[in-house]
Amino acid sequence: PHLLMPPRSPTAQLLPDDCASSKPARNDHSGPDYSLWGEIIMLLQSWHTLANLFLQQTCPLCDRATPQPLCASCWQHLQQGTNLRPARPTADALPLLTWGTYEGTLKRAIAALKYHGQPQLATPLGQALGQHWQQFPLKTGRSPLVVPIPMHSEKQRQRGVNQAELLAKAFCQQTGLPL
């Protein structure tokens, strides 16, 4: 909001910049009308909100318009890079479910989720992992336990979300397993 404000007059005493629609206290009646700028800013914000209702978002991997978190083409590429059958571990190995190799479209989708502010990708990725689990559940002697890997508080502050937690929630919604 402060970028749209006209230059400040030396005689103007303004409220803080985060109060975009506030009028300055003036010693005289000359200079720009700051209330008009506040109204313009509110109008632009309303237009942006309204436009989001009617315009489709874009795929974070290819910028195609799509109503889904990923466009159909990127989703198809992502699924082509996933494992159809889980690896067969040795008898002494810890049971581990893998869904894909960390490369290509899957790598780009995870990077977009983690580093580029695309938390909406966690739902389809977590659900797809959950579907894979439902097709190939791990045989263990105990009930499975889903635990998202904790993040350092500084990294979570930078990213805004814990992507492991978002993936785990979507996985658990799909499978019915407790988080």
Side-chain angles (χ1 to χ4, degrees):
H2 66 281
L3 296 177
L4 297 175
M5 299 295 281
R8 294 180 182 175
S9 158
T11 60
Q13 298 174 358
L14 297 176
L15 294 173
D17 283 339
D18 61 312
C19 190
S21 64
S22 61
K23 292 184 180 180
R26 297 195 157 275
N27 294 335
D28 61 0
H29 296 289
S30 63
D33 182 0
Y34 286 94
S35 64
L36 178 62
W37 282 100
E39 290 176 25
I40 291 171
I41 291 168
M42 287 180 13
L43 181 63
L44 288 173
Q45 289 171 341
S46 297
W47 181 85
H48 184 338
T49 302
L50 184 62
N52 284 341
L53 292 174
F54 296 104
L55 300 177
Q56 291 185 351
Q57 64 186 10
T58 59
C59 174
L61 304 184
C62 70
D63 287 330
R64 288 184 186 107
T66 179
Q68 304 299 321
L70 285 175
C71 72
S73 177
C74 288
W75 184 250
Q76 183 178 18
H77 283 104
L78 188 137
Q79 289 181 318
Q80 289 172 351
T82 60
N83 299 328
L84 297 178
R85 294 210 156 262
R88 299 215 185 269
T90 60
D92 60 340
L94 180 66
L96 180 66
L97 176 71
T98 61
W99 177 53
T101 305
Y102 186 63
E103 61 187 19
T105 306
L106 180 58
K107 182 177 182 177
R108 290 178 37 231
I110 292 171
L113 169 63
K114 288 175 70 172
Y115 307 116
H116 302 291
Q118 302 294 328
Q120 74 277 10
L121 294 177
T123 300
L125 293 174
Q127 288 174 341
L129 182 61
Q131 290 169 354
H132 188 70
W133 164 268
Q134 289 170 326
Q135 289 176 343
F136 306 103
L138 296 176
K139 306 293 187 228
T140 63
R142 297 181 226 144
S143 180
L145 181 61
V146 179
V147 180
I149 298 171
M151 286 181 76
H152 188 276
S153 59
E154 180 62 23
K155 278 190 179 181
Q156 187 163 349
R157 186 187 64 74
Q158 290 171 353
R159 294 180 187 169
V161 296
N162 179 341
Q163 72 281 348
E165 183 178 353
L166 295 177
L167 287 165
K169 284 179 180 178
F171 175 85
C172 289
Q173 286 174 347
Q174 178 67 37
T175 61
L177 293 172
L179 180 62

